[in-house]
Amino acid sequence: MNSELLLPVGNMAMCLAAVHHGADAIYVGVPFFNARGRSADLTMDELKEMIDLCHLYGVRVNLAFNVVIFQDEYPKVIEILKQILPMGPDAFIVQDLGLAKLIRAMAPNQRIHASTQMTVTNPDAIKLVDDLKIDRFVLGRENSINEIKLIREKTDKELEVFVHGALCVAYSGQCFTSESLGGRSANRGQCAQSCRLEYELFVDEVKKDLGPKKYLVSPKDLMGIEEVPTLKELGVNSFKVEGRLKTPEYVAAAAKNYREVLDGAPVNLEKRTEELSTTYSRGFFSGWLHGVNHQKLVDGTYSAHRGLEIGTIKEIKKKAVMIESTRDLKAGMGLLFAGHKEDQGSKIFTALRIGKSFEVELLQKDLKLEKGMKVYLNSNEAQAKDLQRGWSSREHMKKIPLKFLVQGLYNEPLLVKVTDPEGREAYAQTISHLAPASARPMTEQFLKDELSALGTTVYEMGSFECFIQEGLFLNHRELKDLRRELVEKMNQARTTRKAQVESFELRPMVKNQSLAGLNILLRSKKQVEGFAENFALFQGYKDIIKSVILDFEFGKDYAPSVEIIKSLGVKAGIATTRILKPAEYYNLNTIIRCNPDLILVRNLGAIEYLREKAQIPLIGDFSLNVTNSLSLDYLTSKGLESVNVSYDLNQDQLLDMLEFSDPSKMEVTLHQYMPEFHMEHCVFAAFMSNGSSFRDCGKPCEKHEVKLKDPYGNMHFLKADQECRNTFFKATPQSAGFLVKELKERGVGSFRLEALNETPEEINLKIVTYLKLIKGEITADYALNSLKVVESYGLGLGQMNKSDTYKDRKKGATT
């Protein structure tokens, strides 16, 4: 397929803006199940209207079904698919592997796109899920151009790349901060925008003064318009713009500018930056398209729309402000003034050029402005009105060219065939037969004029061929009826899609009893040595210690630690990194060389690589986002012996899943520090060095302990992994110990205890406590009270204790 421009849509106005400004395709959320929980859901009638409208204009419609699905939701999901599939959506964008499996079973020919929420950043992940026949993969925003090139060389699947819009600092599908702070799952479209909050940086327990920089994990917006020609040459199939919560004007500006560049127009960066900035911008950067640059990705001084920087305040007058700027300022423009405390804004009432400055009178009179403040242009009424004409003025709207072929013979009806650009045809003929004209015979020009009168339709006459005998007559009214019939038939031809929908049913599973055991995850060699030195504490529970899994910041300590664990007669495991990029196989090969008894796999690509390269048992981690039996079944069919279920699940959802799953293949984390953000952005490098990457940052992560304090007083531990990616861990750990008895009775095969920064003594006390709880020697209440003694920031019951995490926060939500 040719390069596609894909625009975001949240309502009909945004849809019209996309269609009439050059979109090849749009994406819009599936009602009740889409990753934009703050947007209003369309009704089914509204969705059908939008799909039909787009298909009339030759624009494809991709439906975002990009959330994890809970077990009890499958009946509703199946019912929604039965309603939507006959509408003929061009594709479903899917995160959940179980949902992909369901759609493929219900509609074998339906196109499926893997969402960026599936965290696909390498070709191995694409190969793993080949049997799902996924047509397109939306790559992680963190993939660079060079990495996209390597992926393109390894697959013939379609690739979709984000080129414009907001950047999530965390890897999509790997953010649990919203969940941790407020029980709002980003994997359910309930993102709390935690990355846009203010944070304080603590280094070795001391607050570091960063001056005005307080938005430490809020990246600038992505603008990859300069990179479009290169990406197009690499074979990227779809160029995606983020922004289903933005305005129609934002959609129109993005569509217009990216359409022109995709079609070969000069980039003209300065002009395009201005037009795109005023509709929405937190400042633009190329994101990760050129690799990491920790000094430029995050500015740190703001986290919301500012627009385009145009100058500074030169002087404050009694009724006006002198602004030094080369930009031509006019009444109606919106200005933002950036200060150390807060941004302030106002529209311009009057603007008068005086030399290299403007004397500006503002509509807002009570602003507290100071000389030297930076000035931003963050709205432009004239530009907005010009963009709006694209979908509100008939002469600016998109038209579909039709080829007309007309035949008229004596004593025969007039025959007309129209053909659209995709080759669809519609035929019509008059009721009356053509007869000799007594006066004013029908001419070719007359027919062309009448048939091209398509002003109120989506069509225009593209070409016209006419074969008529001279001197014939046709009633003018019949010609109008024929034109109307052709339009209706072509509309039907362009909007009708055939849908084959198969039935699908889930059945509860017969349970096999299994002996529940504990997997212990340790994060330092010191913790391993402490575990070994005090192994006598655990001797009476050796039968329920399933393994000790190593998750270290540095791989050099893996081999000796594996030997220590094995010498105790305990299985030793090693965890992979959470992300796998192309050519990042050193870590996986190091793990294989250490010859552990098992490997904890955290991403789809690593499953594929390890099952081909190693004969070592694999178990899956929470980062695979398993929330239902279909996803669990799919991953275990790929060779995983068990999977740690998603941290999105609460106790009710977990118990629902157990009814339809093999519990012996499920692992539940009992104790952990919630891993909130997992990100390519390195806070250590950005704010503790002048380096742009690991090559020149001085590696402060190796020398210091770092925490970030959020506005609610929560302290978040920060750790780097072997690929220099950062993870936030919430300081308050959480325990699901209260569920142990019931989960054992239901046959859950594995539990997990995760360490973070504890001393060997502290982690050993936790291990003993949970071993006793699993064995039934102590109660859950006793265990929790014992654990609270060693937790510096307290102990919570966490996500599992919540009865309902999915709260409807949609604007104007419909049912």
Side-chain angles (χ1 to χ4, degrees), residues 104 126-134 634 637-638:
R104 184 55 67 228
I126 296 173
K127 184 178 178 183
L128 179 77
V129 298
D130 185 64
D131 55 339
L132 290 174
K133 295 182 173 58
I134 293 174
Y634 183 76
S637 76
K638 295 296 180 179

Side-chain angles (χ1 to χ4, degrees), residues 19-250:
V19 165
H20 294 296
H21 283 90
D24 297 301
I26 66 163
Y27 61 104
V28 62
V30 168
F32 313 110
F33 291 97
N34 80 90
R36 290 297 180 272
R38 289 180 291 135
S39 65
D41 275 329
L42 299 175
T43 66
M44 289 298 174
D45 288 342
E46 290 169 338
L47 181 61
K48 186 178 188 310
E49 180 186 4
M50 186 177 288
I51 291 173
D52 286 348
L53 173 84
C54 287
H55 286 168
L56 270 179
Y57 281 103
V59 173
R60 293 179 287 278
V61 181
N62 301 336
L63 298 185
F65 215 147
N66 51 338
V67 294
V68 292
I69 306 298
F70 300 130
Q71 192 72 45
D72 68 335
E73 294 175 328
Y74 266 109
K76 184 175 182 179
V77 168
I78 292 169
E79 184 57 37
I80 283 176
L81 286 171
K82 287 179 180 178
Q83 293 180 61
I84 291 179
L85 284 167
M87 297 180 191
D90 294 277
F92 284 99
I93 307 171
V94 171
Q95 170 186 6
D96 192 289
L97 291 167
L99 177 59
K101 185 177 177 181
L102 172 66
I103 293 173
R104 184 55 67 228
M106 290 184 65
N109 299 319
Q110 174 65 52
R111 281 179 63 89
I112 299 175
H113 296 174
S115 169
T116 189
Q117 292 283 120
M118 205 178 280
T119 325
V120 173
T121 55
N122 58 80
D124 302 270
I126 296 173
K127 184 178 178 183
L128 179 77
V129 298
D130 185 64
D131 55 339
L132 290 174
K133 295 182 173 58
I134 293 174
D135 301 278
R136 177 186 296 178
F137 291 83
V138 187
L139 298 181
R141 292 172 174 89
E142 295 80 2
N143 279 121
S144 68
I145 289 174
N146 289 336
E147 290 162 350
I148 293 168
K149 181 176 184 290
L150 291 173
I151 295 171
R152 176 75 289 166
E153 290 171 353
K154 295 288 187 179
T155 182
D156 58 0
K157 296 289 188 179
E158 293 178 17
L159 300 180
E160 184 171 299
V161 172
F162 278 94
V163 290
H164 192 85
L167 282 176
C168 300
V169 76
Y171 271 88
S172 296
Q174 303 299 317
C175 178
F176 293 91
T177 309
S178 299
E179 192 77 81
S180 176
L181 290 179
R184 296 169 57 177
S185 169
N187 279 327
R188 291 286 294 184
Q190 296 290 312
C191 176
Q193 296 277 294
S194 305
C195 55
R196 308 300 179 186
L197 298 176
E198 298 178 13
Y199 290 91
E200 297 173 329
L201 181 67
F202 285 77
V203 180
D204 301 325
E205 303 297 336
V206 178
K207 181 180 174 182
K208 182 177 176 64
D209 184 7
L210 296 175
K213 294 185 176 182
K214 50 192 177 182
Y215 300 101
L216 307 186
V217 289
S218 178
K220 296 176 183 177
D221 288 349
L222 169 65
M223 187 169 83
I225 201 161
E226 278 191 294
E227 289 72 25
V228 162
T230 300
L231 291 168
K232 185 177 179 180
E233 188 176 338
L234 286 181
V236 169
N237 302 93
S238 181
F239 294 78
K240 188 170 193 172
V241 175
E242 179 277 339
R244 282 189 279 152
L245 297 177
K246 302 285 196 322
T247 64
E249 291 77 14
Y250 166 91

